[in-house]
Structures are given as structure tokens and as C-alpha cells.
């Protein structure tokens, strides 16, 4: 028989007690099994029997029983909160297992798992994760009991939660839940525990509705089974505490207080293991209601309870967290000295080999027991210094605040590198936004006080660091695979795995979105296949990092572009870079030219997002279908468009040198949905009743405008070299076998209709450039996948659909089927320019910090440094007209942004009152590299030869 550990986020121990069939009918096994059977009810008697069994097992050389007795003793000390002896027994079990057992022993894997518990308690989550995965691998190889494997999945999930990688934690917890529900049915304690764990994870992600559902399901199972044994009480307490936390976040204070009292009613003993968290939640309850002294009083009780329970460890993440809570309460009370004192004490408790009491000294990266907890403490400390500066106007406090925020950004990058799941990285970016906003503000203040230019550049770099990092990391990873010397067979296998993973993801999502007749058995089979493939994929990436050091170094080579590099690589006397950072309270605009960098701090109005959404609503709807509101909409557009320009752009534009003709704009947040060239530089003329170019001072009249995700990305794109050996052009204009019933390139579901003007569009461009065109039913998915690597310009004149929930399911249609965003992500294209002449190809789900998860982004991931896309459903034939003009301008040698500007101006010069509406022309956005495209002219060569 063996003991198995279980981490339930508070690192509580639970052993999987079950009878073991043994041919050995000796006294040692008898005593051991007796001790194990009563461990949950009479711990002292169990301890007695384990000690009785161990010397007999050693004498009989029954090594599995011998080592498992040590496991049992460690369990005893854990439950008794004797962590010195617990640690000693875990280390002893490891020594005994390595001496007497081999890795095929199931007891050996349980010892390794318990070691993972110890590392987690000590806050060494990297070691804990490695050892827990090793334990799981051993169990899978040894065909261990399926319920024991479920516990291992939950252990690993718990560690991922400690690290802060919540999405990865949810994956492993769902595996545990599936095994338990299949084996034991819904109304079982292990299932209840998985539901509780999932509740915690969704609470951490602030998805409170799903979290509450899981908590209530847990309580329902406990009530059905009528079980409130000693074993379950910590779980029930934790559930009550967590529900209280959700209600506090939702400001439902009365409900929250009721659950806090329920949790305390189950903890009457002084050393109850979850008193720390109950006092912590009660402290939060008082703090949210500005009752600071009461909050501090309860946070101190929380610290005392933690010290009582965890006195074995001089360094402890839980104790550090309680001290951080007290510090934050002092900060809210405006007692900055005590706030800094408690933050510093929290850092000492959290950091290995760090003992400094000086407020201006921090640990080094790598000393934290938990980077996630360290980030929160450093963030609080930075805020305390800044608030003390505001109160006392001591410049040293401002410098200290800057130093701490700078350190916080380094911790964020360390966390990013440790996370596996994209969702967790996005969550980190969202949570880090406030840190970057404060860092920008303080750097700007320091520049204004000292005149030191490096503070201005640092402010800009803070804005850059939270932009499109996931996109950049993906591109960096692709580069690392090639430059890092990975063998071609390894690369092929990695790409094949990505395609298979994408296939099963799409199958599952499509099935789950059915309104009825969902095939749960198929979904379950696909989910199992997906989990196995993802495991294999993680394994191959881990092997790449281990076996190919060059790949590892390139993959994690964090790039922080400098202003000097920007000026040397793509800025000149004719262009300027305008980069936005949208914070909670302010909008920051960085204006970078060949000789200057200016920062504009702009107050963010309460109606900021609302006004942009309304502006988008007006320009994104065809005026043909809304003639009754034409005049009122036009007036509102004029007012909103000029107001936005005046508030957020005018100051920067006025400071630009005279020769500037091109604006490269890096938007942020909801600004990514705004076409900047339709902003009005001057108020509309009186009695103006149209959108005519003659009566509207659009920004378009003065500048060519392009956008990008980040300056780092522009740097990457500026290094892209043209490949003259490729075909100049490849255009697709599919037909769909249905009559044309509308006049846009949008779609409803999978119902798409043949377009009137797309074939003529592609043919006209082909006549200009040569190359290749594929039209009608020949423009299918197979021809797209087979031929797209052979062209410099890829042009798709078709339908597109955007999935607002899952960007991987964005679709671009061909004659026989569609290609998804995920399919595109896995392609490798050589095209310098992708023109997506369809609807909404530049739109999609907005992810904080990361930007818009659009089809344009997918083409960038596939390797295209430049895209032309649309922000809404565009008119079919007007699109064709603008596209043909755009290509004529490219052919004449215009830069890409200038070619688009001229095409729009040409349209407006002949447009009537209706067709001058921005709906018809403003949707198109040039992104990425804007350099002119140079093509060989066969006629010129002929004349030269002649």
C-alpha cells in the first residue's frame, strides 16, 4: 500500500487510502494496513502502527512497505502542523526510495509526488512542477491506479495556479475531474474536490459566475453525501472563504460576511489550518469598506495564524502574503512608513538569502519563492513610495518608485517566460496594465524634474513592453526554430502536431456550439485526443529547449527596441511614429521623429470608449440602408471626429516638422478599431450636409497613415528583404454557386454568395502585375494552401467571417470551404504583402495589451510583414474600385500607405453625397511594412535591349 499526496492550493495533504492486494501476509503489512485504514479518524493510533510496522518491514526486506511507512509518518506530521518533522520524513522517504526501490515501484512515484508537495510549501514552484510531472510520468508508465493519476493531475494544476498560469491549471484540473467523474460518478468527494479547485481557478481569473457555479456544485455534493468529516472540513472552509471573496469583489458585503462567519464557525481550535485565510478575507471585507484599523487588526491575526501553522519555514510565501495585505491597508490609511516597513518584511519572508531592512533595497530576480507574489509586493512598495512622494514632494521617493516599477516590469517578463498557455500570458498582460501606466507616469515626471532624456525613452519602452508580446513571441519562436539549428524532421513533426491540435480544437468548438443534438461521446473522444497531442507538443518543445541551447537562447531573447534603433532603421525626415498607451485614467501619446521624442499625457474622458464605439457605429453602416438618419448621423460624426482629433492628436500633430508626410500609428485598446485617416483636423463647415473631401478636413488630406502592433514588430518587418524569384502576384476570386443577394463581402454563418465584382478586381490587378490568378470554383482551399508560398503579393477577394469569442475560428472563404485563423497561423508564407479584400479582416476580438486578434494578425504570424485589411463589412464593387486604384499606385512606385491614401482620395474626388460616406472608403487600413514594392518592368527591359 502507498500514500499519495494532493495539493489543494493551500497545499493540504490528502492520501488515497485503499486496500492493496498483497501476497505477503506478514505482520508488517498487517500493521501498516491497520494504520492506514484509521489514519483519517485516529491519527495518533495510525502513527503508532506505522512505527510498529517499519522495523518489521526492514527486517523482512519488504521495501515498499518500509518506505510507505515513512510516507505515513510524514502524513501524520503534516496533519499535526509539525513541518520540521514533516520535511524530515519526506526527505528520508526519498533517500529510502532511491536506495531500496526502482522507478517502476508505485510507492517510488508517491514519494516523488510528496516531495513535490514539500517544494510547493517552500515556494519553490519550479522544482515542485518538475518533480510532480516526473511522478505523473512514472505513474503513467507503471499503469498506476487511475484515481491516483487524477490526484497527480490535480497536484500539477495546483502548482500552475501558484505560478499564476491559470489556463494551464484549468487544463490539468479538468483531466482530474473527467477521470473522477467517469470512475466514481458525479456525487463523490474526489469530484467535489475537482469542482472546488476549478472554482478557485475561475475566481482567480475573475470569471465569477462560473466560479460560483463550481462552488455551489461542491456544496451540493457534500450535502448529498452528508459528509463533514475531519478530512473534508478544510475544503468546506475554503469554499466558504472563496464565495465570500467573490461577494466582496461584487460589493455584496452582507452575503460575504455570512460566509466568512460560516468559515470561522468550523475553526474553533487555535491552530486550525485555514484560519490564516479566514482572517485575511475578513481583513479584505473591512478594507473594501474603508475600515482600515479593523482591516489591519484582522490581517495581523492572519499573519499570526500563518506563523503558528508554518513556523518550520523561515521563508514562506503565505506569511509574506499576509504581511503584504497589512502593508496595503496601511497604504490605504496613508501611513506610508508602516506600509513600506511591512512590504519590506514581506520581501524578506518571500526571498531566499535576502535579509535587508532598507526600503530602497530589493531581492534579485530568482530569489523569490513566488514571482507572482513578489510582483504584487514590489507593485505595492512602488505605490507606497509614489504616494509618499505626492504627500511630501521628496524627489528621492519618486526615484525609488521608478526603481520599483522598473523591477516589477522585469518580474512580469520572467513570469511571461515561465507561462505555457497563451490565455495566461494575456491575463498577465491585462493585470499588468496598471503597473505600466504608473511606470510611464513616473518616468515622465522624472524627465520633467531632471531633464534627463533617458527617462522619456524609458516611459516609451514601458508602453512598448505590454504591446503584442504574444505575437512577437510567436514570431520569435518561429525564428528560433530555424536559426537555432533544429533538424528538419523535428520541425516537420512540430508543425504536424500543431495542425493536429488545431483540427481537434475546431471539431470540439464546432460541436459544442450546436444548439441541439451535441454528440457528447464524440466531443469526449476528441478532447482526449487533444489532451494527448498537447502533452506530446509540450514534450517536444521542452526537448527542443533542453537539447538545442541555441534555440532556447533565441526563443527567450527579450527584445527592447531603443529610440536610436528606430531612427536608424525606419524613421526619416518624412515620417513620424505615434504610439498610444490607453491607461485607466489617462491616454499617453508618444510622438517620435528623426530628431525628437515627445510625450503627451491626455486625460481620458469618461465617454472615451463610448464615443469611439459610436463613431464606429456611424461609419460602419451603409448610408443606403439608413437614409432617414443621414443628416443627424453626419452631424454627430463631424462632432465626434473633430473632438477626438482635438483631444488626443492635435497637440502632437502641431509639433511635427513641416516635411512629415507619413504617420505610423501604433494604437492601443479600443483605438485599434478606429481608422485615423477620417479624423477631422478642423470643425465641419456650417450647413455642410455631406462627407465630401471639399468640405471635410480629413487627416487623410494631409498624411499617409499606416498602423502596427508595436515598434518591435516594425523593426522586424523593416529587415525583410524582397525575393525577386517569386511570382509578383497571386489573386483569388472564388465563386460560391449561389446568386448574389447582397452587396457586401460579409457572411452570415456559412451562407456565402457569389460576388459581383471580385473576379473583375483580381483580373484587373493580374493585368497590371502578371503572376497568377485563380477564379471561380478553382479558387479552392487546396489551391490556396499549395500555391501561396510562391508569390510576393497575395490577394484574396472573397468573404470573411470574424468569431468574436475565438479568434482561431475567424474564417476566410474559398469556393469549396474556408480556412480558419488557426490554419493561417500554421502556414509559412513568403509574401511581402497580403491584401485581404473582404469584410472585417482587420477586426476581431480585442485582447488587452495584445491588440485585435484579427485575420490580419494571422497573416502576420504566417510571415507577411505587410497587410491591407478592412475594419467592417465593405461594399463589394466600391472595394474593387479602391483596390484596383491601390495597385495602380503601387505599380507607379508609391509606398504602400501612400498608394492607399491616393486610392481613397481618388474615390472621394468623384464621389457623390452618398458614396463619400466613410463607410465606402475608410474601412481599409494599411499595416506593417510600408516600403514601396519594386517590380521588374518587362517593357522597359525590352526597350533597353533594343
Amino acid at each position: 500500500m502507498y500514500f499519495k499526496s494532493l495539493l489543494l492550493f493551500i497545499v493540504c495533504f490528502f492520501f488515497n487510502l485503499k486496500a492493496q492486494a498483497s501476497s505477503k501476509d506478514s505482520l508488517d503489512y498487517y500493521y501498516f494496513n491497520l494504520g492506514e485504514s484509521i489514519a483519517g479518524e485516529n491519527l495518533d493510533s495510525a502513527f503508532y502502527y506505522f512505527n510498529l510496522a517499519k522495523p518489521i518491514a526492514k527486517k523482512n526486506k519488504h521495501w515498499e512497505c518500509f518506505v510507505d511507512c515513512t510516507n505515513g509518518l510524514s502524513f501524520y506530521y503534516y496533519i499535526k502542523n509539525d513541518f520540521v518533522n514533516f520535511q524530515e520524513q519526506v526527505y528520508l522517504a526519498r533517500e529510502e526510495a532511491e536506495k531500496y526501490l526502482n522507478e517502476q515501484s508505485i510507492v517510488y512515484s508517491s514519494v516523488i509526488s510528496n516531495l513535490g508537495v514539500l517544494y510547493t510549501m517552500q515556494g519553490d514552484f519550479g522544482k515542485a512542477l518538475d518533480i510532480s510531472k516526473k511522478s505523473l510520468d512514472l505513474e503513467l508508465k507503471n499503469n498506476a491506479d487511475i484515481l491516483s493519476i487524477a490526484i497527480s493531475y490535480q497536484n500539477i494544476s495546483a502548482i500552475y495556479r501558484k505560478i499564476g498560469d491559470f489556463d494551464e491549471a484549468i487544463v490539468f484540473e479538468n483531466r482530474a475531474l473527467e477521470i473522477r467523474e467517469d470512475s466514481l460518478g458525479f456525487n463523490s468527494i474526489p469530484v467535489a474536490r475537482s469542482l472546488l479547485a476549478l472554482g478557485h481557478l475561475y475566481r482567480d481569473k475573475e470569471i465569477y459566475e462560473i466560479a460560483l457555479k463550481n462552488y455551489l456544485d461542491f456544496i451540493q455534493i457534500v450535502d448529498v453525501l452528508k459528509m463533514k468529516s475531519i478530512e473534508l472540513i478544510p475544503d468546506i472552509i475554503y469554499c466558504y472563504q472563496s464565495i465570500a471573496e467573490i461577494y466582496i469583489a461584487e460589493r455584496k458585503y452582507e452575503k460575504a460576511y455570512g460566509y466568512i462567519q460560516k468559515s470561522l464557525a468550523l475553526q474553533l481550535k487555535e491552530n486550525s489550518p485555514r484560519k490564516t485565510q479566514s482572517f485575511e478575507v475578513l481583513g479584505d471585507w473591512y478594507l473594501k469598506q474603508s475600515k482600515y484599523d479593523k482591516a489591519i487588526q484582522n490581517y495581523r491575526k492572519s499573519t499570526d495564524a500563518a506563523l503558528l501553522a508554518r513556523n518550520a519555514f523561515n521563508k514562506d510565501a503565505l506569511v509574506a502574503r499576509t504581511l503584504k495585505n497589512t502593508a496595503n491597508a496601511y497604504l490605504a490609511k496613508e501611513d506610508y512608513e508602516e506600509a513600506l516597513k511591512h512590504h519590506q518584511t514581506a520581501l524578506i519572508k518571500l526571498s531566499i538569502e535576502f535579509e535587508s531592512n532598507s526600503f530602497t533595497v530589493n531581492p534579485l530576480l530568482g530569489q523569490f519563492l513566488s514571482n507572482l507574489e513578489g510582483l504584487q509586493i514590489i507593485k505595492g512598495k512602488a505605490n507606497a513610495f509614489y504616494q509618499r512622494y505626492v504627500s511630501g514632494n521628496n524627489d528621492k521617493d519618486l526615484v525609488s518608485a521608478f526603481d520599483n516599477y522598473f523591477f516589477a516590469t522585469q518580474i512580469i517578463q520572467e513570469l511571461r517566460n515561465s507561462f505555457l498557455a497563451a490565455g495566461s500570458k494575456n491575463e498577465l498582460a491585462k493585470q499588468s496594465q496598471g503597473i505600466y501606466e504608473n511606470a510611464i507616469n513616473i518616468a515622465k515626471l522624472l524627465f520633467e524634474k531632471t531633464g534627463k532624456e533617458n527617462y522619456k525613452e524609458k516611459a516609451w519602452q514601458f508602453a512598448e513592453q505590454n504591446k503584442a508580446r504574444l505575437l512577437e513571441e510567436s514570431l520569435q519562436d518561429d525564428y528560433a526554430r530555424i536559426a537555432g539549428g533544429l533538424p528538419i524532421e523535428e520541425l516537420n513533426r512540430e508543425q504536424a502536431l500543431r495542425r493536429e491540435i488545431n483540427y481537434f480544437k475546431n471539431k470540439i468548438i464546432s460541436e459544442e456550439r450546436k444548439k441541439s443534438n451535441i454528440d457528447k461521446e464524440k466531443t469526449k473522444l476528441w478532447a482526449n485526443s487533444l489532451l494527448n497531442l498537447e502533452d506530446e507538443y509540450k514534450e517536444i518543445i521542452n526537448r527542443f529547449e533542453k537539447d538545442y541551447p541555441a534555440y532556447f537562447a533565441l526563443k527567450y531573447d527579450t527584445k527592447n527596441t531603443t529610440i536610436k534603433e528606430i531612427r536608424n532603421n525606419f524613421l526619416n525626415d518624412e515620417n513620424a511614429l505615434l504610439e498610444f498607451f490607453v491607461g485607466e485614467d489617462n491616454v499617453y501619446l508618444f510622438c517620435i521623429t528623426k530628431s525628437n521624442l515627445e510625450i503627451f499625457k491626455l486625460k481620458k474622458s469618461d465617454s472615451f470608449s463610448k464615443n469611439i464605439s459610436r463613431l464606429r457605429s456611424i461609419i460602419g453602416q451603409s448610408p443606403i440602408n439608413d437614409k432617414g438618419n443621414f443628416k443627424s448621423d453626419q452631424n454627430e460624426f463631424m462632432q465626434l471626429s473633430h473632438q477626438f482629433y482635438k483631444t488626443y492628436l492635435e497637440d502632437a500633430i502641431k509639433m511635427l516638422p513641416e516635411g512629415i508626410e507619413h504617420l505610423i500609428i501604433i494604437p492601443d485598446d479600443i483605438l485599434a478599431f478606429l481608422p485615423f485617416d477620417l479624423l477631422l483636423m478642423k470643425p465641419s463647415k456650417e450647413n455642410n450636409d455631406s462627407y465630401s473631401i471639399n468640405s471635410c478636413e480629413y487627416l487623410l488630406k494631409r498624411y499617409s497613415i499606416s498602423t502596427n502592433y508595436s515598434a518591435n514588430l516594425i523593426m522586424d518587418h523593416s529587415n525583410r528583404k524582397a525575393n525577386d524569384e517569386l511570382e509578383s502576384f497571386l489573386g483569388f476570386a472564388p465563386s460560391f454557386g449561389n446568386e448574389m443577394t447582397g452587396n457586401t463581402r460579409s457572411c452570415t454563418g456559412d451562407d456565402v454568395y457569389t460576388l459581383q465584382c471580385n473576379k473583375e478586381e483580381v483580373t484587373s490587378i493580374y493585368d497590371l502585375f502578371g503572376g497568377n490568378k485563380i477564379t471561380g470554383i478553382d479558387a479552392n482551399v487546396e489551391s490556396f494552401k499549395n500555391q501561396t508560398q510562391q508569390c510576393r503579393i497575395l490577394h484574396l477577394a472573397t468573404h470573411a467571417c470574424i468569431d468574436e469569442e475565438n479568434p482561431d475560428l475567424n474564417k476566410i472563404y474559398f469556393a469549396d470551404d474556408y480556412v480558419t485563423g488557426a490554419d493561417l497561423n500554421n502556414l509559412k508564407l513568403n509574401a511581402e504583402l497580403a491584401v485581404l479584400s473582404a469584410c472585417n479582416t482587420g477586426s476581431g476580438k480585442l485582447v488587452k495589451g495584445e491588440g485585435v486578434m484579427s485575420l490580419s494578425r494571422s497573416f502576420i504570424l504566417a510571415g507577411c510583414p505587410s497587410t491591407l485589411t478592412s475594419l467592417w463589412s465593405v461594399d463589394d464593387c466600391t472595394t474593387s474600385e479602391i483596390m484596383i486604384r491601390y495597385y495602380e499606385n503601387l505599380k507607379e512606385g508609391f509606398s504602400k500607405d501612400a498608394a492607399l491614401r491616393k486610392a481613397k482620395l481618388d474615390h472621394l474626388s468623384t464621389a457623390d453625397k452618398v458614396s463619400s460616406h466613410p463607410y465606402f472608403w475608410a474601412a481599409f487600413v494599411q499595416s506593417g511594412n510600408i516600403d514601396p514594392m519594386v517590380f521588374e518592368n518587362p517593357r522597359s527591359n525590352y526597350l533597353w535591349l533594343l
Side-chain angles (χ1 to χ4, degrees), residues 51-87:
N51 275 314
L52 209 57
K54 187 166 183 179
I56 301 171
K58 185 174 185 179
K59 182 179 178 181
N60 292 337
K61 297 185 179 180
H62 293 163
W63 300 122
E64 287 203 339
C65 182
F66 174 72
V67 175
D68 230 359
C69 285
T70 311
N71 271 342
L73 293 170
S74 70
F75 172 61
Y76 169 84
Y77 288 121
Y78 180 87
I79 297 299
K80 290 288 188 180
N81 290 328
D82 184 347
F83 293 110
V84 171
N85 278 309
F86 162 67
Q87 179 176 272

Side-chain angles (χ1 to χ4, degrees), residues 540-575:
I540 199 172
I541 294 301
N542 287 337
R543 186 158 47 77
F544 286 175
E545 293 184 355
K546 181 181 177 183
D547 296 345
Y548 302 95
Y551 162 76
F552 181 87
L554 288 167
K555 178 178 178 179
Y556 294 111
D557 180 21
T558 304
K559 292 180 292 184
N560 288 312
T561 302
T562 65
I563 298 292
K564 183 178 179 180
E565 287 172 328
I566 285 175
R567 287 174 175 151
N568 289 342
N569 281 272
F570 64 83
L571 282 186
N572 54 47
D573 293 332
E574 295 181 352
N575 61 16

Side-chain angles (χ1 to χ4, degrees), residues 43 90 201 418 445 517:
L43 202 58
V90 170
L201 288 164
S418 70
L445 279 171
N517 300 322

Side-chain angles (χ1 to χ4, degrees), residues 486-525:
L486 299 185
I488 189 66
E489 61 272 15
E490 295 274 38
L491 286 170
N492 290 339
R493 179 57 190 147
E494 186 268 340
Q495 289 176 6
L497 277 171
R498 281 203 282 176
R499 285 193 292 272
E500 290 179 73
I501 287 168
N502 173 48
Y503 169 80
F504 283 109
K505 277 184 177 178
N506 287 346
K507 296 289 283 184
I508 292 166
I509 293 169
S510 298
E511 190 68 28
E512 288 177 344
R513 286 189 176 179
K514 287 182 180 178
K515 293 181 179 178
S516 59
N517 300 322
I518 296 174
D519 193 329
K520 290 188 176 180
E521 284 303 313
K522 271 189 181 178
T523 305
K524 190 173 177 181
L525 287 171

Side-chain angles (χ1 to χ4, degrees), residues 641 644-645 649 674-681 697-699:
S641 177
F644 183 90
Y645 172 81
L649 262 180
L674 180 68
F676 285 84
D677 51 12
L678 56 63
L679 296 178
L680 293 175
M681 299 176 72
E697 283 295 317
Y698 295 118
L699 198 60

Side-chain angles (χ1 to χ4, degrees), residues 340 411 579 940:
L340 286 166
I411 301 170
E579 179 159 359
S940 297

Side-chain angles (χ1 to χ4, degrees), residues 518-612:
I518 296 174
D519 193 329
K520 290 188 176 180
E521 284 303 313
K522 271 189 181 178
T523 305
K524 190 173 177 181
L525 287 171
W526 293 334
N528 284 334
S529 298
L530 177 62
L531 290 173
N532 292 333
L533 287 167
E534 287 178 332
D535 277 345
E536 190 177 347
Y537 186 77
K538 288 168 193 169
E539 187 177 319
I540 199 172
I541 294 301
N542 287 337
R543 186 158 47 77
F544 286 175
E545 293 184 355
K546 181 181 177 183
D547 296 345
Y548 302 95
Y551 162 76
F552 181 87
L554 288 167
K555 178 178 178 179
Y556 294 111
D557 180 21
T558 304
K559 292 180 292 184
N560 288 312
T561 302
T562 65
I563 298 292
K564 183 178 179 180
E565 287 172 328
I566 285 175
R567 287 174 175 151
N568 289 342
N569 281 272
F570 64 83
L571 282 186
N572 54 47
D573 293 332
E574 295 181 352
N575 61 16
L577 176 67
L578 301 178
E579 179 159 359
F580 285 92
F581 181 95
V582 178
E584 190 69 29
D585 302 313
N586 299 289
V587 174
Y588 292 87
L589 174 58
F590 299 86
C591 181
I592 308 173
T593 63
K594 190 70 177 172
S595 59
N596 199 20
L597 163 62
E598 292 294 337
I599 308 172
F600 300 89
K601 182 179 178 180
L602 310 160
K603 184 64 180 173
K604 183 180 173 185
S605 69
D606 293 338
S607 57
F608 176 78
S609 296
K610 180 183 174 183
N611 287 346
I612 293 173

Side-chain angles (χ1 to χ4, degrees), residues 861-879:
L861 272 172
C864 287
S866 183
T867 62
L868 176 60
T869 56
S870 61
L871 291 177
W872 55 78
S873 296
V874 289
D875 178 80
D876 176 27
C877 292
T878 305
T879 296

